[in-house]
Amino acid sequence: MGTADRVRHIFSTKGLTLYRVSQRSAEIFGQSSPYFIPQRLYFDLATEGLIPSIHQFMALSRISNYRLCDWMAVFGFRLDDIPRLQLGISWRRTVLLDTSVYDEDEWTSWFTESLLESALPPIAPLGQLLKLGTPRRARELLALNKRRFLYAKIGREDVYAFPTLAPGSIARIDVRRIPDLLSVPGPTPNKNIFLVENGPTLNCGHMRIIDKNRIVLCSTDFPFTQVELTLGRGARILGLVDAEIRPMVFHPATEISAGAPISSKTPAIAADLGEGLRQLLRTSRIRVGLSFRESSALSRSIAGTLGDQMYFTAAGTLSDYEGHASPPRHIQKIISLCILYCIDFWTFLRAARLPLHTLGSDPMPDEMIGRVGAPKPQTFDEVSSTKKFGRESDRFLSTLVDQWEELPLFIKNALPTLTRLKDFSLSDIFWVGRNQDSNHPCLIGATFVAVNRRVKTPVPSTARTAWEQPLYILLKRDGSFLCGHCTLQQGVLIVHPHSDRPHSALRLRNGIDAEMIGQVTSIFRRLA
């Protein structure tokens, strides 16, 4: 079905015709308004491949009462690409991520628990503990969340939290636990890691409390310059880092230590929506640390990923946007700006003074926008499992949700990028939540690790710190699993202990006492 026929069908579900839609848009907005829907819309869609402007999309949403994000999906624009591509960018500075789930009616894979004959093992492939169950709407899973968190991606220049947090890590920020942790000044840094806003920049690091208004941002492992900040004068504490998704590929220590020092004199630049779109774009670009030329180059990469050159934006055009109060005509440009400058779509529209309160609220049926993944007719056992969700039969799942308090659904489409596994299955994710013998600092507090099962031999390591050492999953002869750093010497796998632990190295004959399952590519762990 062509786009014009699809739009005609959508109108018919609301008892509308194009003539009536055009007439209503003229009555509400006026014929000379950018919101006006012309009566030749079908012809333009069929012959010229016309894509409505953001104003016309909003008019279609208001008149039909269908959601704006669904109307955009009809034309191939998936707003959930914004957080997905933000997560995949290697940022120079630490950035706050867009955590929105734009299509809450999207079908999302969910799981049921496998019956275990014994207690939950310390380490196991997730495929042994869970199996794919009935898909659920995203809004059903969002309803399981106990609370909301901020999420930040650690920039290459943000050195104060290294090695606890690595460049490229996704840090979860708890905004509620600040006062009780800052009540006692002292000469030593707090053991926790905080996200601190210092003017236009964000930094994660340890802090030393001087008094109620002054803090020192510092590192506990490296002799970086300490920076004194005054709270309320361009600096504020956004929250406590309590969890991390950590990539197990690191920059060399020399590059990490060369990060640009931050200044305690940086003027505050806040994204004030009262000053409109121009200020939002300028502030957001400065915060992520991109020049116009760098932003343009990055937009070319976005265009290649999404397969549409309209996402590319020239450096001069990006500069012009910071001088205009109205949004770009093309939807692709708006999505590019949101990705480049880490802005969520709704904030962008509010800054552009667009009337969000008039938008429609009805979700479109799945078939109208190509929403896939709907569940097949359930068997009796599957229906019973669905009814028991969250009860005794799903103790493992419900315990995980209770412990983590939030399902970060915004990352699900970026998991291949975050785990460096193009097509991963449950067998590529290992549960390590009961591993009491953590022989690597990155495994402390870990719940899951992603594993590249194509790596069957330890690679030579040039790591200068224990935190940078590669990790591997080994299957021992007794059927249990082991996770740690190892080397292969003359047919013997040598599992090296963490330098802070007194244990001796474990020697296992390769292929006899143990075999390598794969290399760990990322770690999901709690910090506080």
Side-chain angles (χ1 to χ4, degrees):
M1 182 185 297
T3 303
D5 291 333
R6 186 178 296 113
V7 172
R8 182 183 290 109
H9 174 62
I10 293 170
F11 286 160
S12 69
T13 63
K14 293 289 187 175
L16 295 169
T17 63
L18 177 56
Y19 173 79
R20 181 56 183 156
V21 169
S22 178
Q23 188 180 48
R24 285 284 295 146
S25 69
E27 292 171 358
I28 298 171
F29 306 107
Q31 287 193 355
S32 60
S33 166
Y35 295 90
F36 176 67
I37 306 296
Q39 294 187 25
R40 54 175 289 163
L41 177 65
Y42 292 153
F43 177 80
D44 291 340
L45 291 175
T47 60
E48 301 177 13
L50 174 75
I51 295 176
S53 68
I54 183 60
H55 300 90
Q56 291 172 321
F57 273 122
M58 295 185 74
L60 291 171
S61 175
R62 177 173 179 175
I63 295 168
S64 66
N65 201 39
Y66 280 131
R67 299 183 307 185
L68 175 62
C69 64
D70 289 347
W71 268 112
M72 294 179 67
V74 169
F75 289 81
F77 301 111
R78 304 284 177 175
L79 292 180
D80 288 304
D81 284 335
I82 295 173
R84 176 175 70 88
L85 294 183
Q86 284 180 3
L87 284 161
I89 294 174
S90 176
W91 298 100
R92 184 161 65 90
R93 292 181 180 172
T94 294
V95 299
L96 280 176
L97 297 166
D98 178 6
T99 61
S100 305
V101 177
Y102 290 97
D103 184 6
E104 294 190 358
D105 283 273
E106 181 181 19
W107 290 104
T108 302
S109 298
W110 195 239
F111 312 98
T112 58
E113 297 189 18
S114 301
L115 295 177
L116 295 177
E117 298 179 357
S118 58
L120 191 64
I123 303 176
L126 205 53
Q128 290 184 7
L129 309 179
L130 301 175
K131 58 185 178 181
L132 284 176
T134 304
R136 297 177 183 275
R137 301 280 190 186
R139 65 170 178 266
E140 296 179 64
L141 300 180
L142 291 172
L144 300 176
N145 293 339
K146 312 296 182 183
R147 47 189 297 223
R148 295 295 304 274
F149 295 83
L150 298 177
Y151 291 82
K153 185 164 185 179
I154 307 302
R156 300 188 301 275
E157 292 182 353
D158 196 351
V159 298
Y160 288 98
F162 185 79
T164 306
L165 296 179
S169 287
I170 309 300
R172 190 177 79 168
I173 317 300
D174 185 347
V175 299
R176 299 191 312 174
R177 297 180 56 187
I178 301 174
D180 57 325
L181 294 170
L182 299 179
S183 56
V184 182
T188 58
N190 193 299
K191 65 179 181 179
N192 296 291
I193 295 177
F194 297 86
L195 178 64
V196 178
E197 180 183 60
N198 178 34
T201 62
L202 298 172
N203 290 93
C204 279
H206 297 277
M207 292 191 314
R208 180 166 59 84
I209 312 303
I210 301 177
D211 56 40
K212 64 178 182 179
N213 292 322
R214 292 188 300 157
I215 61 173
V216 173
L217 192 63
C218 57
S219 170
T220 59
D221 293 87
F222 296 95
F224 299 137
T225 303
Q226 298 186 8
V227 179
E228 182 178 326
L229 303 173
T230 302
L231 300 178
R233 294 183 180 179
R236 61 176 178 143
I237 302 169
L238 298 184
L240 169 75
V241 178
D242 78 335
E244 174 194 29
I245 302 175
R246 186 185 188 92
M248 290 304 292
V249 176
F250 302 100
H251 298 277
T254 53
E255 182 178 339
I256 291 173
S257 64
I262 66 172
S263 170
S264 60
K265 304 296 185 182
T266 307
I269 301 179
D272 183 2
L273 297 186
E275 297 189 26
L277 185 59
R278 289 174 291 190
Q279 180 67 14
L280 175 67
L281 293 178
R282 177 177 177 271
T283 301
S284 301
R285 180 179 58 80
I286 293 173
R287 168 159 286 184
V288 300
L290 292 175
S291 66
F292 291 124
R293 184 172 296 180
E294 290 169 334
S295 300
S296 179
L298 198 51
S299 74
R300 189 181 297 278
S301 175
I302 293 170
T305 300
L306 296 178
D308 185 348
Q309 286 304 307
M310 286 300 296
Y311 287 97
F312 168 73
T313 308
T317 304
L318 290 169
S319 178
D320 291 341
Y321 287 155
E322 293 187 13
H324 295 163
S326 57
R329 159 69 176 81
H330 297 98
I331 293 294
Q332 296 97 321
K333 306 299 185 188
I334 295 177
I335 293 176
S336 268
L337 288 170
C338 289
I339 297 170
L340 291 171
Y341 300 159
C342 287
I343 305 170
D344 77 81
F345 186 72
W346 304 121
T347 297
F348 187 99
L349 297 189
R350 281 192 292 270
R353 305 287 194 273
L354 298 181
L356 301 186
H357 64 283
T358 65
L359 294 177
S361 57
D362 292 346
M364 286 187 186
D366 295 343
E367 63 275 9
M368 290 186 183
I369 57 175
R371 194 184 285 123
V372 297
K376 299 176 181 179
Q378 295 177 290
T379 64
F380 175 79
D381 290 341
E382 290 172 332
V383 171
S384 299
S385 175
T386 300
K387 290 180 178 179
K388 294 178 181 178
F389 175 69
R391 301 181 188 177
E392 185 70 18
S393 63
D394 285 316
R395 180 181 297 172
F396 176 66
L397 279 173
S398 60
T399 300
L400 283 177
V401 173
D402 289 341
Q403 289 176 346
W404 283 81
E405 299 184 275
E406 182 181 35
L407 294 172
L409 290 187
F410 76 99
I411 73 169
K412 68 181 181 62
N413 294 324
L415 282 175
T417 300
L418 296 178
T419 61
R420 292 171 174 79
L421 300 173
K422 184 177 180 181
D423 298 308
F424 69 92
S425 66
L426 285 176
S427 297
D428 297 316
I429 306 297
F430 275 67
W431 153 260
V432 294
R434 289 196 173 180
N435 179 30
Q436 301 297 324
D437 187 23
S438 298
N439 58 5
H440 192 283
C442 291
L443 292 175
I444 298 173
T447 301
F448 301 109
V449 297
V451 178
N452 182 356
R453 293 184 295 164
R454 291 186 291 274
V455 178
K456 296 298 182 182
T457 304
V459 297
S461 172
T462 58
R464 301 187 182 185
T465 68
W467 293 83
E468 299 173 286
Q469 293 172 344
L471 291 174
Y472 303 93
I473 293 286
L474 304 180
L475 174 62
K476 297 168 66 176
R477 184 165 54 183
D478 62 4
S480 63
F481 291 91
L482 179 67
C483 184
H485 172 61
C486 67
T487 55
L488 181 62
Q489 297 179 10
Q490 299 180 345
V492 176
L493 290 167
I494 303 176
V495 183
H496 301 279
H498 180 19
S499 58
D500 293 341
R501 300 292 181 90
H503 308 300
S504 59
L506 179 64
R507 303 174 68 88
L508 301 167
R509 292 171 296 174
N510 188 28
I512 300 175
D513 298 324
E515 64 175 304
M516 181 173 292
I517 299 300
Q519 182 177 1
V520 173
T521 60
S522 56
I523 299 175
F524 300 70
R525 68 188 191 122
R526 298 291 303 272
L527 300 180

